[in-house]
């Protein structure tokens, strides 16, 4: 497993713990998080604030990676996965996602997720 894949694996473990501070700590200070249907979030502090608000909607979150590949340098990681969330309303949603991570110096400098926003709207 490449060093970039290890960073992504650790990030997903943190994501399931739903701790905004821990998640933000995985990003470079000027990192970018972009859920492609939405506006990008730029900077570690803004990413932390985004996760704090976003994760507040869920009682649990799981990530199942179905396939993953890293570029030759290990600094670019692509994965196909399903994010499973349980909303505080009790509704469960499985979201098919393709993610692209750029990793430099052991930190995420860019994370782009491609998914159907309609799959998560409604609650």
């Amino acid at each position: 497993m490449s060093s970039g894949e290890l960073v992504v694996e650790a990030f997903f473990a943190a994501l399931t713990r739903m701790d905004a501070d821990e998640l933000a700590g995985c990003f470079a200070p000027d990192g970018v998080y972009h859920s492609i249907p939405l506006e990008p979030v730029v900077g570690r502090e803004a990413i932390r604030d985004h996760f704090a608000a976003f994760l507040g909607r869920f009682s649990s979150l799981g990530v199942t990676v179905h396939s993953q590949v890293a570029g030759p340098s290990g600094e670019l990681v692509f994965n196909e996965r399903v994010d499973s969330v349980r909303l505080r309303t009790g509704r469960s949603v499985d979201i098919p996602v393709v993610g692209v991570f750029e990793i430099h110096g052991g930190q995420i400098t860019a994370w782009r997720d491609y998914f159907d926003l309609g799959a998560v709207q409604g609650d």
Side-chain angles (χ1 to χ4, degrees):
M1 188 175 289
S2 73
S3 60
E5 287 174 290
L6 292 172
V7 169
V8 171
E9 183 178 89
F11 176 75
F12 285 151
L15 187 60
T16 64
R17 289 189 287 275
M18 298 176 39
D19 182 322
D21 292 321
E22 182 181 8
L23 290 166
C26 295
F27 283 84
D30 59 348
V32 176
Y33 166 53
H34 191 182
S35 280
I36 294 304
L38 307 171
E39 292 296 314
V41 181
V42 180
R44 184 183 288 154
E45 291 305 312
I47 290 169
R48 193 213 70 76
D49 293 345
H50 171 81
F51 276 121
F54 174 73
L55 293 172
R57 298 178 56 206
F58 308 126
S59 58
S60 66
L61 189 152
V63 176
T64 303
V65 176
H66 295 290
S67 59
Q68 183 164 282
V69 63
S73 68
E75 293 181 335
L76 187 62
V77 178
F78 291 81
N79 59 43
E80 182 179 36
R81 64 182 201 273
V82 173
D83 293 353
S84 300
V85 298
R86 178 173 294 277
L87 292 112
R88 297 217 177 266
T89 64
R91 180 176 166 232
S92 293
V93 181
D94 290 333
I95 309 155
V97 181
V98 170
V100 180
F101 293 81
E102 296 177 36
I103 313 293
H104 299 281
Q107 295 185 311
I108 300 168
T109 56
W111 171 30
R112 293 178 298 281
D113 267 350
Y114 299 83
F115 62 96
D116 178 7
L117 188 58
V120 295
Q121 291 180 324
D123 276 318

